[in-house]
Amino acid sequence: ARGRGQAGRKGQVRAPAEGCAVVQSIESRPNVMDGSRRRRRGPSSSVVSGAAFRILVLLLAIAVLVSCLLALRLEAIAADGRSLLDAPPRAARDEEAAPRQRQPHLHPKLPHLPAFPAIAGEEALRDGTLRGDRPTVAGVASVLYRHLRELHESNRRIAKGLRNGKRGGPRRRDEEAAEVRRSYFDLVDRNLRGMEDAYRGRPMFPIRRDGSVFVSVASFREHLLGETLASAFGQAARPDKLFVGVIVNNCFGTDDDFPCKGTAEVTGRDGRGLDVLRSVDGVADANHIETFCANSTFAGYCEAGQLRVLYVHEVDALGPAVARYYSSRLWGGETYFMQVDSHLRFARDWDVLLAEDLRLTSSFPRSVLSTYPPGFVNFRPDPPYLPGT
């Protein structure tokens, strides 16, 4: 079977073009006896070598047959992968005709702007999600936003207490750390545990069978977030089936108790074409969701609800693991789940190529593809790909 390098840009695995060859054995040459007399003797070396040759030819024929069967099996698996990406025509028509009836959990759409948006009917959506009988993506976001609001106020109260209290000594620091931990886990128990218990052991939403892709993105004050989103949608083979959940950890400049510090500002490009940054204080981070959705090329995806955003104050950020938990909860039942950083460039048709690779694993559908992407140097969207640095 030919690999991706020879099978074309879709990475399909194909059987050999010429089919399977039939290998015939060749009889060994008869012994040449002495014409003057015949003598009884053991097997000649030519007889032994002839038997070995026949065995070798037989093994070669078996190997060719096995390789042909394997190639045909891989082609069948690849065909299955491609069929999953294309919903049956009737199912596709039904989904387009009645999206609200077929996917009520996606309505109402979660607002992507402004930061910390008001969600219409938030309390009812939140209650339906927590009860476990009427979950919606907007309801999940309502649960998370309530948790984040209370977390922000808790952090504000603790910070004020630390500023007004007396500092000093290891014992005092241990008490402060214990208070932060206790306050956080009290909030988790009160706001998040109910949602986790309600859906434990089952998916929150029906899993779609249309080859749709959900991409989880955790961003912390990331100046490349807009470029990452543009690359994801711009390079996808089927951007209409792409849905992205983004956690925007930013300093928004709206809270006097937590002034912005260390904001990244782009001052130019270096010799390799990469951004040159400087750190400034007192300036809010740019909202790159706004930048992305203002681009006429991508605005339609934002309006269609394909960009699901949750905003978090940077002082309330608790690292990538917690941020990725938040973004994973913005999944809406899409066929595939993908987790990436907020500074990434995508190869052309990445969604189809990765889905086909996943289908080729022997453990599919219980399969995970994982990698650490190279840097941007030498990046190109089309093969042949070069190693990054």
Side-chain angles (χ1 to χ4, degrees), residues 57-78:
V57 170
L58 179 62
L59 292 176
L60 178 61
I62 293 173
V64 171
L65 179 61
V66 169
S67 66
C68 289
L69 292 175
L70 179 60
L72 293 174
R73 174 58 179 160
L74 291 177
E75 175 64 21
I77 293 175

Side-chain angles (χ1 to χ4, degrees), residues 116 152 248-252 254-255 311-317:
F116 304 101
H152 190 67
V248 179
N249 288 282
N250 270 5
C251 183
F252 299 94
T254 57
D255 194 329
Y311 294 93
V312 183
H313 290 286
E314 57 98 9
V315 293
D316 303 326

Side-chain angles (χ1 to χ4, degrees), residues 34-47:
D34 187 341
S36 61
R37 64 175 183 267
R38 298 176 180 271
R39 295 180 298 179
R40 294 178 60 85
R41 58 183 178 180
S44 68
S45 60
S46 61
V47 174

Side-chain angles (χ1 to χ4, degrees), residues 74-256:
L74 291 177
E75 175 64 21
I77 293 175
D80 289 343
R82 291 189 295 274
S83 67
L84 185 63
L85 292 173
D86 292 311
R90 181 175 179 180
R93 287 196 302 269
D94 290 344
E95 187 143 335
E96 292 175 0
R100 179 181 290 272
Q101 288 75 12
R102 293 180 60 83
Q103 298 177 350
H105 59 279
L106 299 181
H107 301 276
K109 292 192 290 287
L110 176 63
H112 56 279
L113 288 170
F116 304 101
I119 300 176
E122 178 177 353
E123 185 174 350
L125 293 170
R126 182 170 59 241
D127 291 344
T129 298
L130 290 174
R131 285 196 310 269
D133 58 353
R134 296 186 64 185
T136 60
V137 171
V140 171
S142 299
V143 172
L144 296 176
Y145 269 134
R146 180 174 67 175
H147 172 71
L148 291 169
R149 285 194 296 267
E150 295 184 11
L151 176 63
H152 190 67
E153 291 305 315
S154 173
N155 287 340
R156 185 201 308 277
R157 174 182 54 80
I158 294 173
K160 284 184 176 180
L162 294 178
R163 286 195 293 266
N164 297 333
K166 295 181 179 180
R167 293 187 173 186
R171 183 174 181 178
R172 175 61 179 169
R173 289 195 296 272
D174 289 344
E175 292 174 354
E176 294 168 355
E179 182 181 4
V180 171
R181 287 195 298 270
R182 182 171 58 253
S183 175
Y184 173 72
F185 285 109
D186 285 347
L187 290 174
V188 168
D189 286 337
R190 184 164 68 247
N191 295 326
L192 302 181
R193 185 177 296 278
M195 182 172 65
E196 295 303 315
D197 290 341
Y199 303 97
R200 196 174 306 280
R202 65 185 177 99
M204 183 176 289
F205 305 118
I207 299 176
R208 299 167 59 170
R209 307 300 300 173
D210 59 352
S212 52
V213 180
F214 175 79
V215 179
S216 165
V217 180
S219 169
F220 183 81
R221 310 187 73 178
E222 178 62 74
H223 73 287
L224 294 175
L225 174 60
E227 295 181 23
T228 298
L229 295 174
S231 180
F233 280 95
Q235 299 287 56
R238 295 178 176 132
D240 57 306
K241 293 185 178 181
L242 175 60
F243 298 81
V244 182
V246 186
I247 305 304
V248 179
N249 288 282
N250 270 5
C251 183
F252 299 94
T254 57
D255 194 329
D256 293 337

